[in-house]
Amino acid sequence: MSGITTAAKLKELNPHVIIFIVTSFMEYLDSAMEIHVFRYLNKPIDTLRLFRNLKDALRIYNAQSRQIAIETKSEVYTAYTHDIIFVEAREHKITVYTTNGSYSSIHSINDWVNKLNGLSFFQTHKSYLINLKYVCHFTHDTVYLYDNRFQAYLTRRKYTLFKNTYLLYLDSTK
């Protein structure tokens, strides 16, 4: 089985797997990009580039696999950060929306910003902290999330920073 075929099978089994292709054959680049490998590295390996890319991969892996406690008034739930779609502050109530349901958190939006700092989250508005992973599309004032099931406000002053951050995020997940 070729490396590309093996990588495609691994992606089928686990869509979150981070795959590097290391080869001296450029003709496999298109096939590697079709299955969204993390990085395509040419031989001979540039050690600095390899370590920089490994560091990026570890950052993404840790962000995806990190568990976090969601405290409500009566219970504590555990969720993976990659399952959090967004956090919303509305009428003095904080709601954490996940792929498994929503939870009323006892923590402030600022607490959530600090908890999720350095991960794939962006505060689009004082009331919204979104996971870039679930962005479907966006306009100058709204971000659509999770197959367009949710919307988050996007302030005008944050639009350019959000757009650039989102494009960098997409580039890092290729």
Side-chain angles (χ1 to χ4, degrees):
M1 187 181 299
S2 74
I4 297 293
T5 304
T6 302
K9 294 279 186 197
L10 287 170
K11 279 284 190 180
E12 284 176 23
L13 294 171
N14 179 1
H16 300 293
V17 69
I18 297 172
I19 298 173
F20 285 78
I21 298 287
V22 180
T23 184
S24 53
F25 300 104
M26 287 303 293
E27 60 265 22
Y28 299 119
L29 180 61
D30 287 341
S31 299
M33 293 302 112
E34 284 177 16
I35 59 171
H36 303 287
V37 300
F38 181 70
R39 292 290 189 270
Y40 190 92
L41 302 174
N42 292 321
K43 291 180 184 174
I45 295 290
D46 175 345
T47 307
L48 291 176
R49 182 172 179 228
L50 172 66
F51 285 119
R52 187 175 57 247
N53 285 293
L54 284 171
K55 184 178 176 183
D56 290 344
L58 283 171
R59 183 183 47 79
I60 289 171
Y61 173 78
N62 289 330
Q64 290 176 346
S65 60
R66 186 170 143 201
Q67 287 186 317
I68 198 160
I70 303 172
E71 293 181 68
T72 69
K73 288 181 181 177
S74 59
E75 298 181 68
V76 177
Y77 298 92
T78 304
Y80 285 102
T81 55
H82 68 263
D83 288 333
I84 297 173
I85 302 166
F86 71 106
V87 180
E88 177 185 37
R90 182 183 289 189
E91 299 173 5
H92 306 291
K93 180 181 172 187
I94 305 299
T95 306
V96 179
Y97 294 87
T98 73
T99 56
N100 299 316
S102 60
Y103 305 92
S104 296
S105 173
I106 62 170
H107 296 287
S108 71
I109 192 82
N110 288 333
D111 290 338
W112 282 101
V113 168
N114 291 332
K115 280 183 189 184
L116 300 171
N117 184 32
L119 304 176
S120 59
F121 288 83
F122 188 93
Q123 190 170 16
T124 59
H125 179 274
K126 66 181 181 177
S127 299
Y128 291 93
L129 177 64
I130 68 163
N131 189 337
L132 297 172
K133 173 183 175 179
Y134 293 105
V135 172
C136 300
H137 68 282
F138 58 94
T139 64
H140 284 276
D141 61 1
T142 307
V143 179
Y144 297 88
L145 303 159
Y146 202 55
D147 295 327
N148 295 315
R149 295 181 201 172
F150 302 103
Q151 296 177 12
Y153 294 125
L154 174 61
T155 62
R156 285 186 189 158
R157 66 181 179 79
K158 290 189 175 184
Y159 174 78
T160 302
L161 179 59
F162 172 75
K163 181 178 85 169
N164 292 338
T165 302
Y166 182 65
L167 293 174
L168 280 172
Y169 167 79
L170 286 179
D171 191 47
S172 75
T173 60
K174 289 181 181 177

